[in-house]
Amino acid sequence: MIRKSLENGVQTLRLDRPEKKNALTGAMYTDLAEALEAGNSNEDLRCHLICGQPEVFTAGNDIGDFLQYAGRSAMSETPVVRFLRALVRNEKPLVAAVDGLAIGVGTTLLMHCDMVFASPRAFIRSPFVDLGLVPEAGSSLLGPQLMGHARAFELLCLGKPFNAEQAERAGLVNTIVEGDVDAEALACALEIASKPPEAMALSRKLLRGNTDALSERVEEEIKIFASRLTAPETIAAFQAFMSKKKV
Ligand code: COA
């Protein structure tokens, strides 16, 4: 589930499914998408903060859900796709606190954040190709822009994990926090929320620039991703993961 609270202009979105390493289900994506969409027109909301649990930000998309999507033709109507579109259309600053695992979409959503705080035990990994998939959330565009082709290839195609220092060097993480990463990220979100909101919104928009190309890339990735869900090598990778589950 997603635990939501709005206080002093900061909406906290806490991923809360620790028994499954915060793997994201359709219901969780819907909650996240709704929170981002509603935030755009809520004047009391000045900043979003997304965070997880001790040692786990998120293990990415629920792999069981992936298997279900594989049978459907209309991937574009799924909660995950709604969430990806909401990320692109989000107009409010987004801060993340990453402690431990940040896998798959847990990595790629960071590319949409304005500030990312990570603990020294952050483990950032995108095993898309290993699962027979392709990068999503616009990461095939944002990744190379952020860190250059070579490092983006390492992260998004080779599936190499980045630790906190590598992620900081790659420009994915602003600050490594030795102590309470959630508290540090919240302090930053509160600082953002205390600034003149119109100037903040205009400035953020200028920094992000035109997002048409990003939207187009997200849609292109979704089409390819959806077609990959039925590829034999992808189904074999999902089944291999599912067969390791405890019964
Ligand atoms: N989807 C569904 N369930 C997941 C999951 C995911 N992405 N990640 C973890 N889980 C579940 C496990 O199946 C397990 O469930 P079980 O207790 O019913 O068997 C539980 O969460 C705990 O995970 P486990 O694998 O036992 O923990 P671990 O510490 O040994 O490993 C990970 C943690 C995250 C490294 C490992 O679970 C993993 O590789 N997950 C898949 C990550 C992934 O590929 N995500 C998709 C990216 S596109």
Side-chain angles (χ1 to χ4, degrees), residues 126-204:
S126 304
F128 296 115
V129 172
D130 293 333
L131 290 170
L133 298 168
V134 296
E136 35 67 315
S139 61
S140 64
L141 184 70
L142 296 176
Q145 281 173 358
L146 191 65
M147 59 189 81
H149 174 85
R151 272 186 298 189
F153 184 88
E154 210 177 319
L155 183 71
L156 298 169
C157 298
L158 263 186
K160 291 280 183 207
F162 282 10
N163 62 25
E165 281 177 12
Q166 288 167 308
E168 189 186 35
R169 277 200 299 274
L172 199 56
V173 162
N174 292 78
T175 307
I176 301 173
V177 181
E178 293 288 340
D180 186 339
V181 67
D182 287 5
E184 194 86 11
L186 176 60
C188 175
L190 287 167
E191 185 186 347
I192 291 171
S194 72
K195 305 242 178 231
E198 287 175 19
M200 177 59 77
L202 290 166
S203 303
R204 180 177 185 266

Side-chain angles (χ1 to χ4, degrees), residues 11-228:
Q11 170 160 260
T12 300
L13 301 167
R14 185 173 294 283
L15 312 178
D16 188 16
R17 197 186 175 214
E19 71 285 2
K20 296 289 179 186
K21 305 281 175 190
N22 280 351
L24 294 166
T25 60
M28 290 164 83
Y29 281 122
T30 298
D31 274 2
L32 288 171
E34 278 174 5
L36 294 179
E37 289 162 4
N40 290 340
S41 54
N42 182 353
E43 285 182 10
D44 296 332
L45 194 161
R46 305 245 182 121
C47 184
H48 299 285
L49 167 64
I50 184 161
C51 50
Q53 300 294 329
E55 296 188 44
V56 58
F57 180 60
T58 171
N61 200 105
D62 187 286
I63 291 184
D65 279 10
F66 269 152
L67 279 167
Q68 286 177 14
Y69 295 151
R72 290 201 220 163
S73 52
M75 171 90 185
S76 67
E77 305 311 318
T78 54
V80 56
V81 167
R82 180 175 171 191
F83 170 67
L84 299 181
R85 291 180 180 141
L87 266 183
V88 176
R89 292 173 194 157
N90 172 39
E91 292 170 18
K92 299 291 169 81
L94 180 58
V95 177
V98 178
D99 184 19
L101 299 170
I103 301 186
V105 72
T107 297
T108 56
L109 80 79
L110 301 180
M111 296 179 191
H112 295 264
C113 290
D114 301 288
M115 294 288 294
V116 178
F117 295 81
S119 70
R121 60 188 174 184
F123 180 91
I124 293 169
R125 180 164 186 248
S126 304
F128 296 115
V129 172
D130 293 333
L131 290 170
L133 298 168
V134 296
E136 35 67 315
S139 61
S140 64
L141 184 70
L142 296 176
Q145 281 173 358
L146 191 65
M147 59 189 81
H149 174 85
R151 272 186 298 189
F153 184 88
E154 210 177 319
L155 183 71
L156 298 169
C157 298
L158 263 186
K160 291 280 183 207
F162 282 10
N163 62 25
E165 281 177 12
Q166 288 167 308
E168 189 186 35
R169 277 200 299 274
L172 199 56
V173 162
N174 292 78
T175 307
I176 301 173
V177 181
E178 293 288 340
D180 186 339
V181 67
D182 287 5
E184 194 86 11
L186 176 60
C188 175
L190 287 167
E191 185 186 347
I192 291 171
S194 72
K195 305 242 178 231
E198 287 175 19
M200 177 59 77
L202 290 166
S203 303
R204 180 177 185 266
K205 207 169 172 197
L206 282 168
L207 261 65
R208 292 186 85 212
N210 187 316
T211 54
D212 290 352
L214 177 59
S215 285
E216 275 172 36
R217 181 62 64 93
V218 167
E219 299 304 322
E220 187 183 349
E221 290 169 349
I222 289 166
K223 277 199 196 105
I224 301 172
F225 198 102
S227 73
R228 294 300 305 164

